[in-house]
Amino acid sequence: MESFTEFIQSKVFITEEILQEVLSKFQEKEYAPHQVLLKRGQIANQYYFIISGGLRFFSDENENEHTAWAFFEGEFITEISSLAPRKPTRFTIETIDKTSLLVIERADMEALYERFPIWQKFGRKMWEDICIQQIEQNVNYQTLTAEGVYLKLMENREFIQKMPVKQLASILGITPNALSRIRRNIK
């Protein structure tokens, strides 16, 4: 919980009393590698803070698996395109490796928003940060080559160390062979 407490405090000033109330709504859960948390077609109902390990969002259209993105230690996420509008998700979320999460149900998150204006502020700041990251990713995909995007991903070593080549290539929109060529050129 210490890393999550630090994460919250990096976003907002929160009293100890409210912090303890917030933390009491989260459950720590351990998952094995490749364990599915949410299947395509289900409606997302949880938020996750990643203590250790990682989560992968992927789609499996026409039996072709495409990794959309991955999230690692210290990130707070959900499948917002399902959770907010209460629509079935287009993604499957699974663990990349052994993963430890803090999990909160949507209803508990909503109750915290209702009770504590500071928690609303936390939510707003968190989603602003995520929107900024998404815009940055979109700009990178539109303006950089696959090698340029790979170099950006290298700034987050977990992407390079924990993601299998096939999944990393999928994120880049290239084949594993093309990714191997990029890696050779960079060395």
Side-chain angles (χ1 to χ4, degrees):
M1 288 272 188
E2 185 178 325
S3 62
F4 187 48
T5 298
E6 290 172 6
F7 179 81
I8 293 168
Q9 291 172 333
S10 75
K11 304 281 182 209
V12 294
F13 175 78
I14 189 169
T15 66
E16 187 63 29
E17 180 182 332
I18 294 172
L19 177 63
Q20 291 310 311
E21 180 74 23
V22 166
L23 295 177
S24 74
K25 301 297 182 191
F26 284 83
Q27 292 184 314
E28 187 168 347
K29 296 184 178 184
E30 301 289 327
Y31 297 91
H34 310 292
Q35 189 168 347
V36 173
L37 304 181
L38 182 69
K39 282 187 177 183
R40 180 179 179 207
Q42 294 178 322
I43 296 176
N45 207 36
Q46 298 175 322
Y47 293 81
Y48 311 103
F49 179 78
I50 304 170
I51 298 170
S52 63
L55 300 177
R56 174 174 83 105
F57 282 54
F58 68 92
S59 61
D60 51 357
E61 304 283 327
N62 303 321
E63 297 182 27
N64 292 324
E65 195 175 284
H66 174 73
T67 299
W69 202 250
F71 300 90
F72 299 99
E73 184 176 324
E75 293 187 85
F76 189 66
I77 58 144
T78 188
E79 207 294 74
I80 195 68
S81 67
S82 171
L83 182 124
R86 311 305 300 146
K87 291 175 26 179
T89 181
R90 296 169 292 181
F91 299 101
T92 295
I93 302 175
E94 78 171 4
T95 59
I96 294 169
D97 51 10
K98 184 179 177 192
T99 300
S100 178
L101 301 174
L102 288 174
V103 181
I104 186 169
E105 297 295 322
R106 178 182 179 272
D108 289 332
M109 190 74 153
E110 292 296 324
L112 289 172
Y113 284 152
E114 288 294 320
R115 278 190 69 199
F116 304 116
I118 195 67
W119 194 247
Q120 289 177 15
K121 185 175 182 180
F122 166 81
R124 180 180 53 81
K125 286 186 168 213
M126 183 192 62
W127 289 112
E128 285 172 354
D129 290 348
I130 289 170
C131 285
I132 290 167
Q133 289 173 351
Q134 187 63 51
I135 290 167
E136 185 69 26
Q137 285 173 316
N138 291 344
V139 169
N140 287 343
Y141 281 116
Q142 293 171 355
T143 61
L144 299 175
T145 63
E147 183 173 328
V149 174
Y150 179 75
L151 289 169
K152 287 279 188 187
L153 290 179
M154 284 183 66
E155 294 171 9
N156 181 345
R157 297 303 296 170
E158 288 184 288
F159 258 102
I160 308 309
Q161 293 171 345
K162 292 185 177 182
M163 293 295 294
V165 170
K166 183 178 177 183
Q167 293 171 11
L168 190 54
S170 179
I171 288 172
L172 295 169
I174 60 176
T175 66
N177 287 340
L179 178 55
S180 293
R181 282 192 297 278
I182 288 171
R183 286 178 158 177
R184 277 195 304 274
N185 290 342
I186 291 174
K187 289 182 181 181

